[in-house]
Amino acid sequence: MGTEAQVKSAQLSAKKRQLRLRAMALAALSFAVFLYLETQDHLPWEEDDEPGPNNASFDTSTTYEYVDPLEHLRNCTITFQPPSQEKEEWSTKPLWFPAHPGTMEDPFHRQLITGITGLDAGGKSFYASSKGMKLKQCFGQTETATCINVHPIVDMGNKHPETRSDKFYNKIVFGLRNPMLTLPSFYNGKQIKYHGLCEGCQVPEDEWRKFRDEWLESMMDAWGNNMIDTWKRMKKYSIGMYLVNEHLWDPTRGPLVLQRLANLLKEAGFATPDEAEIPCIWLKIMGGEEAVKAHHESPYEYKDYIPSYTVAQRELMFEKLNELALKFANDTEFVDVMREYQNDIRTTARIDTASGRMLLSNSTGADDETAGVLEPNDEHNETAVAFAPNATFDQNGTEVAVKKEDRQA
C-alpha cells in the first residue's frame, strides 16, 4: 500500500479520466444530433412550417368543421321488410318492458317496436284488451315483441311476472327517464285519463305544486325502491338493457340505443334490420329531424310550463338517486344513469324561490333571487358539498372535475 498522498493522487487521476470520458461522450452525442438535424428538410418546430390558419397544411374543412349529426340522415332510405305475420302461433317469447308511468307513452312504445321489428302490433300494453283481437295481457292474434307494464305501481295480482316466466323471454328491457320529468308527466297523464283534463292539456301549476308537496317523497320511493328494486330482485329475469329516454332522443346516442335494442330482440328470435339501416330507422321512429330538434329545445311534453321544485325537494331527489346508486353499486350502467340524472337535476331543474319566481338550479342570481338556489353553505342542506352547483359526480357519488372558477359566485 502507498502513502496517503499517493492514494489521494490516484483517486484524483481516476476522477479526471471519468470527466474526460463523459465530456467526449457528450460531444459525440451533440455532433450526432447536429448531423441528424442537418439532413432533415425542415425542423418540425420552425415557425414557417407550424400548422396554423396561415399554413396550407392547416385543413379547417376536415379537422374543425362542425357536422350536424342529423344531416347525413335527411335523404336516407329503409329497405328492411317485416316478416310475414300470417301465423297463429309463434316460436318467439316477448320481453317484459317495465317502465314507470310517465316514462314512455303507449303510442310511442308501439311506434318504437314496430319500427325495429316491422311487427304492426309488436309492442303491446299488459293492460290493453280486445275481444275482437282476442288480446289479453299482451297475447292475442298478432305476434308480441315487448309487453310494457308499470308493475308494481299497478299490481298484477296472480299474473305476477315470475309466475309467467314460461311465456316470456328471460331478459327484460327496463325503461328509464329522469324522475324530475317522469313524475309530473305521470300526474298530468293521470289527470287526462281519469279526471277529465283535456287531451294534451297541462294541469294548472298551483295544482302541480300542491300534488308535488304532498306526494313527492312517496313517488320517488315508488320510482326507485319499489319499481326498480322489484325487477332487479326477480330470480327468473335479468335486465337485458336499460332503455334511457334521454339517450334515445339524442342524435348521437339514439341510434346506438336502438341498435342495442335490436340486438336484444334478435337474441330473443325476432327479425331486426341490418345495422347500416338503424340510424335511418331511428330518425323515422323519433318523428323526423324537426321532432328531434323540438324535443331538445323542450324535452317536456306539456308546454304551458316546466314543473318546478323547492330547494328541499331537489335535495330529496338528489338523495334518493344517490341511495339507489349506492344500493346497486355493482351495476355500473345503472349507476352512470343515476349520476347523469343527478347532474341534470342540478343544472336544469326549475326552482321555486321565496318570492315565487322561477330559477334554474345552477342560477347564481343576486339578492333574494338566490333564496331558491342550493349553495354549499346552505344550513338546510346536509349534503350540499356533494350536490354543489357545477359539480360532477363519479360512480361513488363523489364530486369530481370541478373548476375553481365554477365555484365562484
Side-chain angles (χ1 to χ4, degrees):
M1 295 180 63
T3 64
E4 182 178 352
Q6 290 174 329
V7 172
K8 289 183 177 180
S9 177
Q11 290 176 340
L12 181 61
S13 298
K15 288 182 180 179
K16 288 181 179 180
R17 283 197 299 273
Q18 290 178 350
L19 290 174
R20 284 197 297 270
L21 290 173
R22 289 177 183 176
M24 292 172 63
L26 181 61
L29 177 62
S30 299
F31 184 67
V33 172
F34 173 77
L35 288 177
Y36 169 77
L37 295 178
E38 283 295 303
T39 60
Q40 305 305 303
D41 294 333
H42 64 279
L43 299 179
W45 53 80
E46 285 183 356
E47 183 177 354
D48 292 341
D49 292 325
E50 183 178 354
N54 296 324
N55 189 284
S57 64
F58 188 77
D59 189 351
T60 58
S61 63
T62 58
T63 306
Y64 293 92
E65 183 180 8
Y66 170 76
V67 178
D68 185 342
L70 297 175
E71 184 177 6
H72 70 289
L73 299 178
R74 286 173 184 160
N75 298 314
C76 66
T77 58
I78 300 171
T79 61
F80 173 62
Q81 294 295 322
S84 173
Q85 301 180 43
E86 296 179 0
K87 297 180 181 180
E88 294 184 0
E89 295 183 359
W90 300 272
S91 60
T92 56
K93 294 182 178 181
L95 286 70
W96 288 113
F97 194 142
H100 189 286
T103 300
M104 180 179 294
E105 294 299 319
D106 288 345
F108 184 78
H109 168 240
R110 292 195 296 269
Q111 184 173 314
L112 172 67
I113 302 305
T114 296
I116 199 61
T117 64
L119 300 173
D120 291 338
K124 295 183 177 71
S125 168
F126 181 81
Y127 313 100
S129 62
S130 170
K131 290 184 178 180
M133 297 296 294
K134 298 180 180 180
L135 174 64
K136 186 177 182 180
Q137 297 171 348
C138 287
F139 292 92
Q141 293 181 340
T142 57
E143 188 174 11
T144 305
T146 57
C147 179
I148 198 167
N149 69 89
V150 296
H151 177 78
I153 305 302
V154 175
D155 187 20
M156 295 171 65
N158 61 359
K159 300 298 183 181
H160 189 278
E162 289 206 296
T163 67
R164 313 191 71 188
S165 60
D166 60 321
K167 295 184 177 181
F168 284 84
Y169 193 62
N170 61 5
K171 292 183 181 179
I172 71 170
V173 180
F174 199 104
L176 287 174
R177 186 187 186 188
N178 196 320
M180 174 178 63
L181 295 181
T182 299
L183 301 182
S185 177
F186 164 46
Y187 174 64
N188 206 96
K190 189 175 181 180
Q191 298 307 103
I192 292 174
K193 290 180 180 179
Y194 305 112
H195 300 283
L197 185 65
C198 59
E199 189 68 33
C201 295
Q202 191 170 2
V203 297
E205 192 164 12
D206 287 342
E207 186 177 330
W208 155 247
R209 288 192 179 111
K210 182 179 178 181
F211 178 81
R212 169 204 75 187
D213 293 346
E214 184 175 357
W215 296 103
L216 180 62
E217 184 168 5
S218 62
M219 286 194 298
M220 283 297 300
D221 286 335
W223 184 87
N225 289 325
N226 290 1
M227 189 154 189
I228 294 172
D229 186 61
T230 294
W231 283 92
K232 287 181 74 67
R233 284 189 291 104
M234 289 190 187
K235 296 180 180 179
K236 296 183 179 180
Y237 302 100
S238 63
I239 295 179
M241 69 173 291
Y242 295 103
L243 198 148
V244 181
N245 180 282
E246 293 80 4
H247 297 177
L248 185 61
W249 278 98
D250 183 84
T252 301
R253 303 173 83 172
L256 301 178
V257 173
L258 194 63
Q259 179 63 63
R260 189 175 174 190
L261 177 60
N263 292 343
L264 183 58
L265 290 168
K266 185 176 182 179
E267 175 188 313
F270 296 94
T272 57
D274 292 336
E275 184 175 347
E277 291 195 313
I278 292 293
C280 195
I281 292 174
W282 169 82
L283 187 61
K284 180 180 178 181
I285 290 172
M286 308 314 289
E289 182 177 351
E290 294 305 315
V292 173
K293 290 182 177 180
H295 178 85
H296 279 267
E297 291 175 1
S298 179
Y300 189 57
E301 56 268 40
Y302 302 103
K303 305 303 182 183
D304 291 347
Y305 62 89
I306 300 297
S308 61
Y309 297 89
T310 66
V311 171
Q313 289 166 348
R314 182 180 63 180
E315 183 177 347
L316 171 69
M317 289 191 287
F318 279 136
E319 291 173 346
K320 293 293 184 182
L321 293 175
N322 199 55
E323 289 172 6
L324 286 171
L326 295 176
K327 184 175 184 178
F328 302 114
N330 292 332
D331 188 344
T332 56
E333 181 182 0
F334 178 78
V335 171
D336 285 344
V337 176
M338 295 304 100
R339 299 309 181 202
E340 181 179 323
Y341 284 171
Q342 285 180 307
N343 286 327
D344 288 345
I345 290 171
R346 180 206 64 222
T347 57
T348 66
R350 299 193 70 191
I351 302 301
D352 282 340
T353 69
S355 60
R357 297 179 63 183
M358 307 302 298
L359 293 176
L360 289 176
S361 283
N362 62 350
S363 298
T364 54
D367 303 327
D368 64 348
E369 288 188 357
T370 57
V373 179
L374 189 64
E375 295 293 349
N377 60 355
D378 189 338
E379 63 180 0
H380 302 294
N381 179 21
E382 296 178 357
T383 55
V385 174
F387 302 129
N390 300 305
T392 299
F393 309 127
D394 64 13
Q395 287 197 344
N396 297 318
T398 304
E399 181 184 340
V400 297
V402 182
K403 295 180 180 180
K404 182 177 181 181
E405 57 267 25
D406 290 336
R407 288 291 196 187
Q408 298 174 347

